Amino acid sequence: MAGYFRRVGSVRPSHLMFTTGVGAIVDLPNISVLVRGLDDWNHAAVPDSEPIAEPRLLAAVRKLLNRKSIKELRPAPWMEGTDQQPNGPAAKVGVPITPFPGWLRCTVCDELAPLDRGVFDFENAKPRKPHEARFFHKSCARKKSGKPMAVAARFVLACSAGHLDDFPYAAFVHHGGACPNASHPRLRMDDRGGNLGANVEIRCVPCGARRNMKEVLGPRGAEKLPRCRGRWAHLSDFDRDACKGQLKLLVLGASNQWFAQTLSALAVPPTGASELQAKVEQHWSTFEGMENPAFLKFARQAVPVVKREFERWSDEQIWAAVERHRAGPKGDDDEKGYPDLHTPEWEIFSAGELPPATDDFTLRRDPNGVPGELKEVYADVIQAERLREVRALVGFTRLDAPDPMDPDLVKRAPLSKANPDWVPASEVRGEGIFLRLPQDLLADWERRVDDTECMVAHREAYGRFRRSRYSGRIPGGFDAMKHWPGARYLALHTLSHLLIRTIALECGYSSASLSERIYAGNDTDPRRAGILIYTAVPDAEGTLGGLVSLAEHDHLVRLTRRALTDAMHCSSDPLCAERLPHDPEEFLHGAACHVCLFVSETTCERGNRFLDRRFVVPIGDPDLALFRELP
């Protein structure tokens, strides 16, 4: 907490990417806090902290944010030793937070007051039990003994521009005016419960004014909310530009108060590059400031990474690789949208000759090839025995989730006041299975379904979805069909979900511990047709070899047959099997639901959109199915 350096809780580093990152409200056992911006993070307190090396991802972050000042990807500050020394240096290292909302309510007398009024105090007296940190009411009139706990008031305000603010309780209960009897009125929050949802009355003790929160709920209630002040609560600052966004009342803990905008990349070797070039790219922060080859002689003696990783090459070879990397690729610097991180991965997985094994990336192809029973299903199967994935948090949104294909459609909130020279990142190691489908199979299927009623319904739904959410937000016109993933993506994505759910049901992996990457055709390479299913969790479950073993002959045949057979039926049929996107609904899936296809949000790369069983197996018209006959 600001001005207070003792632990009040803990989260996994991966949570800072998806759940509790910069700007997110975190519900701890007794208090509610907000993760502060990068300006307040302190890596200097961790002497051994090193940036995460992943040049492809770093370049993508720079391009997306249009900030060449970003030099590093850094993990959250953390030190070992809190268990052994609760009051030691490690206890003062972590991610900074501040109490939010700024209004608290006494759990005994229901008094409602802002923190800066001095009505409530904070205690965290047990270093070994940070979860017992809490606020309490210092002078509660109804207390019988002890210190009555104070909890966060349950309402906040947010807008789609990313601003977050406290609810103005004093102005609300007095209909925008001031209390006639007190300059700082005492308020009470009476939570009456019942079957009407939020039935919470705010009462002013000095003047007796009363008002129920139900008045500002729903579309009509939103008209009674004040204008957005443009508050960046996580930065303790306000937007310099006046915000025209419509505020929305949120209950504390609402799932739409924070959505992470992240980029992720697998640590694959550069296509066609030598081992030396790959190492220079990985450790580019070491070489970036070198002005001439003379610096290398000094670096060989003084820089451990150069001594350790580059002893096999001469200074001339290293400097040539440095110059090649500094020259960089040409051509797509002005291209808008998310940087392309999938193409280098696809080129590696689809290459005839696999790259040499490294600690970060090891692939193996069965010399016997694809099992004979699955020749019509897969063109290639690769076991990824070692994978390393790095994820970077580039921003966040509120109320609307960021679009997975177009980063400019929802306004991204900043991570810091000033231009940062780093962004938060985390890395996980795991394993996976890469499956490439036959090009002829998909090309024939695309011709069959292109003009069908079902595919037209999916395309029209995509256009409606973008128009309803984003129309008017982009200057210079709006292309409703921009970034349409294509028919091929629907088939590959659906097959991926079927396999993930089968792996989770039959083999013991939780679906939340798995992730997917879909390599579907695009304008530059229409022949792409691959699926990577891999573990992406920071614990032992992702690295024990269990997923790789599922690519072996008998296991793969059994899993594929079961996945396709189970797709033929859903306990929600016939409703599920007959579902198609239609106006005015805005969902982007057809024959798919929580019973048969949906997986956790962290597993699916497109938020459970673009799924339809009819495009993979013959649950209706056989001509719509990728596999008209099951293997």
Side-chain angles (χ1 to χ4, degrees):
M1 298 170 62
Y4 190 87
F5 300 101
R6 179 173 284 172
R7 292 174 62 234
V8 293
S10 61
V11 297
R12 282 187 171 190
S14 58
H15 281 206
L16 295 172
M17 297 292 104
F18 297 108
T19 311
T20 59
V22 173
I25 298 175
V26 185
D27 269 331
L28 298 174
N30 299 321
I31 60 177
S32 175
V33 298
L34 185 74
V35 180
R36 295 181 65 85
L38 300 184
D39 308 277
D40 299 315
W41 289 36
N42 182 19
H43 285 94
V46 190
D48 297 329
S49 176
E50 293 185 359
I52 298 174
E54 183 44 54
R56 275 201 315 126
L57 184 59
L58 179 59
V61 171
R62 288 172 176 167
K63 180 179 177 182
L64 179 63
L65 299 181
N66 194 24
R67 288 179 180 170
K68 295 184 179 180
S69 62
I70 297 175
K71 303 295 184 183
E72 295 175 335
L73 307 173
R74 281 194 168 273
W78 177 81
M79 282 180 65
E80 293 183 359
T82 53
D83 294 335
Q84 294 78 14
Q85 292 182 298
N87 289 320
K92 298 181 180 181
V93 175
V95 176
I97 50 94
T98 189
F100 192 86
W103 286 72
L104 300 181
R105 176 182 65 86
C106 176
T107 55
V108 174
C109 69
D110 290 328
E111 180 155 352
L112 179 69
L115 264 173
D116 56 10
R117 189 73 53 81
V119 175
F120 305 104
D121 205 351
F122 180 73
E123 67 176 359
N124 187 12
K126 299 178 181 179
R128 292 187 180 274
K129 296 182 179 180
H131 58 279
E132 294 186 3
R134 66 178 195 140
F135 288 97
F136 62 90
H137 191 182
K138 291 191 291 187
S139 55
C140 179
R142 297 183 186 177
K143 72 175 181 179
K144 296 181 179 180
S145 63
K147 302 175 181 178
M149 186 168 70
V151 297
R154 57 188 288 193
F155 299 101
V156 297
L157 297 174
C159 80
S160 58
H163 300 124
L164 185 69
D165 209 345
D166 287 298
F167 186 83
Y169 295 99
F172 170 73
V173 72
H174 295 106
H175 294 269
C179 177
N181 298 337
S183 58
H184 296 291
R186 293 179 61 194
L187 303 182
R188 294 279 192 273
M189 174 181 275
D190 299 324
D191 193 343
R192 300 178 177 182
N195 296 325
L196 297 177
N199 188 11
V200 179
E201 185 180 75
I202 310 300
R203 176 167 56 92
C204 178
V205 175
C207 70
R210 297 170 179 265
R211 199 172 180 190
N212 199 294
M213 293 295 296
K214 288 188 292 184
E215 293 185 31
V216 288
L217 293 177
R220 291 186 178 181
E223 299 174 359
K224 301 179 182 180
L225 293 174
R227 293 181 60 184
C228 179
R229 299 192 300 165
R231 183 185 178 190
W232 300 121
H234 63 297
L235 303 178
S236 301
D237 198 8
F238 289 85
D239 204 335
R240 294 183 180 88
D241 301 322
C243 180
K244 299 179 181 179
Q246 175 65 52
L247 283 174
K248 184 173 182 179
L249 183 71
L250 298 181
V251 177
L252 199 63
S255 60
N256 62 342
Q257 61 92 10
W258 189 85
F259 296 96
Q261 187 173 35
T262 62
L263 292 177
S264 69
L266 298 179
V268 299
T271 307
S274 65
E275 183 182 358
L276 171 60
Q277 196 70 47
K279 286 184 175 292
V280 167
E281 184 174 356
Q282 181 178 3
H283 301 287
W284 179 241
S285 59
T286 302
F287 298 100
E288 187 174 14
M290 295 185 182
E291 298 177 359
N292 56 64
F295 284 83
L296 288 174
K297 292 182 171 36
F298 173 78
R300 285 189 183 276
Q301 301 299 322
V303 182
V305 69
V306 177
K307 294 170 62 177
R308 183 178 65 250
E309 300 288 344
F310 295 88
E311 61 181 358
R312 290 186 290 148
W313 294 280
S314 66
D315 290 354
E316 292 76 14
Q317 291 173 315
I318 297 174
W319 189 251
V322 169
E323 291 291 280
R324 283 195 298 271
H325 181 79
R326 184 169 283 139
K330 309 292 182 183
D332 62 347
D333 291 343
D334 296 329
E335 184 182 345
K336 301 298 183 181
Y338 284 106
D340 183 9
L341 291 167
H342 277 39
T343 294
E345 298 167 8
W346 164 256
E347 290 175 349
I348 291 292
F349 284 118
S350 61
E353 182 177 349
L354 299 180
T358 67
D359 292 340
D360 292 338
F361 194 73
T362 301
L363 304 182
R364 186 170 71 88
R365 181 181 280 128
D366 192 328
N368 296 322
V370 179
E373 301 92 326
L374 301 178
K375 289 288 187 182
E376 301 299 321
V377 180
Y378 306 125
D380 194 12
V381 177
I382 294 177
Q383 295 170 300
E385 297 178 343
R386 291 181 182 177
L387 289 176
R388 173 174 165 265
E389 182 190 36
V390 182
R391 302 162 181 163
L393 179 68
V394 296
F396 65 89
T397 63
R398 300 199 192 276
L399 303 183
D400 287 330
D403 190 277
M405 294 301 294
D406 197 334
D408 299 321
L409 293 180
V410 180
K411 185 172 181 180
R412 176 174 54 248
L415 299 178
S416 63
K417 295 180 186 178
N419 290 338
D421 60 1
W422 64 280
V423 295
S426 69
E427 60 180 342
V428 293
R429 295 180 184 273
E431 54 179 338
I433 305 172
F434 175 78
L435 306 168
R436 182 165 60 87
L437 274 67
Q439 165 62 17
D440 294 342
L441 174 71
L442 281 163
D444 176 66
W445 173 80
E446 286 175 310
R447 286 191 293 270
R448 283 190 276 120
V449 303
D450 185 52
D451 295 325
T452 60
E453 178 184 357
C454 295
M455 189 57 67
V456 170
H458 276 277
R459 286 197 291 263
E460 291 177 347
Y462 179 75
R464 286 196 305 271
F465 176 80
R466 282 174 56 88
R467 279 190 292 268
S468 64
R469 290 187 70 193
Y470 309 123
S471 183
R473 298 187 186 179
I474 303 177
F478 179 75
D479 181 2
M481 294 307 295
K482 186 178 181 181
H483 299 304
W484 161 248
R488 179 173 297 209
Y489 186 93
L490 269 73
L492 293 171
H493 194 207
T494 302
L495 178 59
S496 174
H497 277 227
L498 291 172
L499 292 170
I500 288 173
R501 289 175 62 93
T502 304
I503 290 170
L505 288 173
E506 182 170 319
C507 306
Y509 282 101
S510 67
S511 63
S513 69
L514 302 174
S515 290
E516 65 179 1
R517 296 176 90 85
I518 309 299
Y519 304 96
N522 56 24
D523 294 337
T524 59
D525 186 5
R527 299 178 64 85
R528 291 186 195 176
I531 300 168
L532 175 66
I533 299 173
Y534 63 104
T535 53
V537 288
D539 55 26
E541 183 178 359
T543 57
L544 297 179
L547 184 57
V548 166
S549 68
L550 300 183
E552 296 174 359
H553 183 285
D554 293 341
H555 294 310
L556 185 61
V557 171
R558 186 183 70 256
L559 285 173
T560 303
R561 284 176 171 170
R562 178 173 178 178
L564 296 178
T565 301
D566 289 351
M568 293 291 295
H569 306 283
C570 172
S571 59
S572 294
D573 285 343
L575 293 178
C576 178
E578 296 174 355
R579 183 187 295 115
L580 272 175
H582 59 81
D583 194 15
E585 300 291 344
E586 294 182 5
F587 57 81
L588 296 179
H589 61 269
C593 67
H594 287 281
V595 178
C596 59
L597 274 183
F598 289 177
V599 296
S600 66
E601 292 291 326
T602 56
T603 296
C604 178
E605 68 175 15
R606 297 301 293 268
N608 284 320
R609 298 173 183 146
F610 307 111
L611 299 168
D612 199 326
R613 286 185 292 137
R614 62 168 58 85
F615 291 143
V616 176
V617 294
I619 60 173
D621 183 356
D623 286 338
L624 294 175
L626 181 65
F627 306 110
R628 287 185 276 193
E629 296 182 1
L630 302 187

